[in-house]
Amino acid sequence: MIKRIGILTSGGDCSGLNAVIESVVKTANENGIEVYGFKMGYDGLYSNDYMVLDSKNTDLIGEKGGSILGNSNKTNLFNYITVQSDGSIKKIDVHEKALENLKKDEIDAMVIVGGDGSMTSARDFMRAGVNVVCVPKTIDNDVPSTDQSFGYATAVDRIRDALRAIRTTGESHNRIMILEVMGRGAGWLALEGGLSACADAILIPEIEYDIVKLREFLIERYKKGEKSTILCVSEGAKPRGGEITAQINHKYPDSVKLGGVGALLAKELEDLVAPVTGQEVRSTNLAYIQRGGDTNSFDIVLGYKYGSSAVRAILDNEFGKMVSLRGNKIKLVDLVDVVGDGPTGETSKGGRHNVTQDSDLLIAAKAMGIYFGD
Ligand code: F6P
């Protein structure tokens, strides 16, 4: 008999988190279940920092960006990062503290809202005996076993708006304009955002670009009278045989922090193209604008569907699952099929949902004449 459940929002924030929370609370309360919201992701579970959620404090929060519970992408309680006095990093397992809190608070099940890293921890808590159900969150849309994570559709809208704005200023100055977007190792955001605004070229991690061919493409366009070119570039895009642009920060469970390829590429392309066409190259990094602000209708509704389905899974004793969108239906999939069955505490080895040559989006973009740098 389920009397009380907990919910936490973990990893980077995105649009739709509050919609999931609102729907979990409404569905649970209607079934006589109380909901505790743990703050700042897994940190709240560790420090037992929670708020009791009800229809009053969650009513109509669905459209607001961010999460009323807060987010953290720094915490893996099975591999907890501590900074020693000499500045070195030590990882320790502190998950028992969270188990004690869950017992003390009499939490019967947890809804974990997060991406692959957060869901790997959820799997580890499941192994430790906690009843978990997960909801796939990320603007990157890289979680396997679901067609779409919530947050992605709103981020695509932001990219489209930015590209349309960049096009008019680029055309006024006859410039080559680069928009760098997020996505980690998956190119969905650049691909769908770029296609929706008819970018002239899209660079994604799945297709390494050839700088010589890219130069030729830009010069050819100029010669044909296209004085401005718009490129939508994934943060994870890399040159053929080259490296991604990233910084390493060991204070995060995911120590690789991507970003900066747009600015590097702008410099490189200006050196290569300007001597022929005289064009300047400018780069804009859309960064956190993709994650913040109001949520679009698709993500609000997907968040409501995911939240209510997660509670229904709990009522049906379907634990160790992730709610997933398949076609137009919400299904339950095994968490281990999403994040793999690797060692406790280690980052997911479950694979990533990536763009492939037979992805409909890629086929459509190529049919529209968009160039992929290869
Ligand atoms: O995974 C979501 C995401 O927004 C990525 O697209 C991006 O690389 C990363 O998070 C940025 O994370 P942070 O909030 O730590 O800068």
Side-chain angles (χ1 to χ4, degrees):
M1 175 73 179
I2 304 283
K3 289 196 181 136
R4 182 178 296 147
I5 63 173
I7 180 169
L8 60 82
T9 53
S10 173
D13 77 323
C14 72
S15 302
L17 286 162
N18 286 324
V20 176
I21 295 170
E22 184 179 358
S23 138
V24 162
V25 172
K26 285 198 171 137
T27 316
N29 286 177
E30 265 188 16
N31 286 281
I33 299 170
E34 212 181 351
V35 184
Y36 280 16
F38 289 90
K39 297 184 189 168
M40 302 305 290
Y42 286 103
D43 284 334
L45 212 52
Y46 179 63
S47 53
N48 208 22
D49 187 8
Y50 64 83
M51 63 193 276
V52 178
L53 298 170
D54 56 33
S55 54
K56 281 203 192 93
N57 56 23
T58 59
D59 196 30
L60 291 179
I61 61 170
E63 65 193 22
K64 290 188 194 137
S67 163
I68 61 160
L69 296 173
N71 280 76
S72 169
N73 56 3
K74 285 198 197 144
T75 312
N76 176 349
L77 298 180
F78 295 84
N79 236 333
Y80 193 69
I81 295 170
T82 55
V83 183
Q84 308 297 291
S85 51
D86 64 356
S88 64
I89 299 237
K90 193 174 168 200
K91 292 183 179 178
I92 49 176
D93 183 350
V94 297
H95 84 279
E96 292 282 352
K97 182 88 178 355
L99 294 182
E100 281 165 28
N101 291 335
L102 287 170
K103 198 164 171 209
K104 195 162 57 192
D105 299 337
E106 297 180 11
I107 303 286
D108 299 310
M110 281 297 300
V111 177
I112 310 276
V113 187
D116 55 356
S118 312
M119 289 198 277
T120 307
S121 280
R123 178 207 62 198
D124 295 343
F125 273 110
M126 175 188 87
R127 287 172 176 165
V130 180
N131 294 326
V132 298
V133 174
C134 290
V135 181
K137 163 236 67 123
T138 171
I139 66 166
D140 304 334
N141 206 27
D142 60 353
V143 173
S145 308
T146 182
D147 294 345
Q148 203 155 321
S149 50
F150 72 86
Y152 169 70
T154 306
V156 167
D157 283 356
R158 296 274 190 284
I159 293 168
R160 177 171 182 267
D161 288 348
L163 284 169
R164 293 181 70 219
I166 276 168
R167 185 184 296 283
T168 59
T169 170
E171 283 173 353
S172 278
H173 287 264
N174 290 344
R175 281 175 173 157
I176 295 167
M177 302 297 283
I178 294 174
L179 182 73
E180 178 180 324
V181 302
M182 287 183 168
R184 291 201 300 176
W188 298 110
L189 282 173
L191 176 55
E192 187 151 356
L195 174 59
S196 69
C198 282
D200 304 303
I202 298 174
L203 305 184
I204 58 175
E206 293 87 346
I207 303 175
E208 293 184 348
Y209 62 87
D210 182 325
I211 195 74
V212 177
K213 289 188 179 164
L214 194 52
R215 174 185 176 272
E216 278 165 19
F217 164 78
L218 293 166
I219 293 172
E220 269 313 299
R221 263 182 69 80
Y222 188 86
K223 285 184 180 159
K224 278 189 212 148
E226 303 285 358
K227 303 280 188 243
S228 173
T229 298
I230 308 297
L231 283 90
C232 186
V233 178
S234 287
E235 61 180 0
K238 59 176 191 298
R240 185 163 293 160
E243 296 296 324
I244 49 166
T245 308
Q247 291 187 337
I248 303 296
N249 186 340
H250 290 290
K251 287 186 191 156
Y252 292 86
D254 180 359
S255 57
V256 181
K257 294 276 140 202
L258 291 166
V261 63
L264 284 181
L265 202 55
K267 167 91 186 55
E268 204 176 358
L269 285 177
E270 193 164 295
D271 289 347
L272 290 170
V273 177
V276 184
T277 68
Q279 285 169 298
E280 295 169 317
V281 187
R282 295 285 192 266
S283 174
T284 304
N285 189 344
L286 195 56
Y288 299 92
I289 292 165
Q290 295 158 93
R291 293 202 331 212
D294 286 346
T295 305
N296 76 6
S297 56
F298 183 90
D299 277 333
I300 294 175
V301 173
L302 184 59
Y304 286 160
K305 290 202 264 190
Y306 274 158
S308 59
S309 304
V311 176
R312 276 202 307 279
I314 289 173
L315 289 167
D316 292 343
N317 283 319
E318 292 270 14
F319 300 118
K321 307 280 182 187
M322 180 187 84
V323 293
S324 130
L325 182 69
R326 283 300 194 203
N328 236 345
K329 291 292 293 174
I330 304 291
K331 309 257 182 201
L332 292 178
V333 295
D334 286 334
L335 203 42
V336 289
D337 289 340
V338 180
V339 295
D341 210 3
T344 293
E346 276 189 15
T347 315
S348 162
K349 295 277 189 299
R352 185 186 285 134
H353 174 223
N354 270 116
V355 176
T356 53
Q357 286 301 333
D358 63 352
S359 298
D360 291 332
L361 275 176
L362 184 63
I363 293 167
K366 285 185 173 170
M368 293 289 289
I370 296 175
Y371 175 60
F372 281 84
D374 54 341

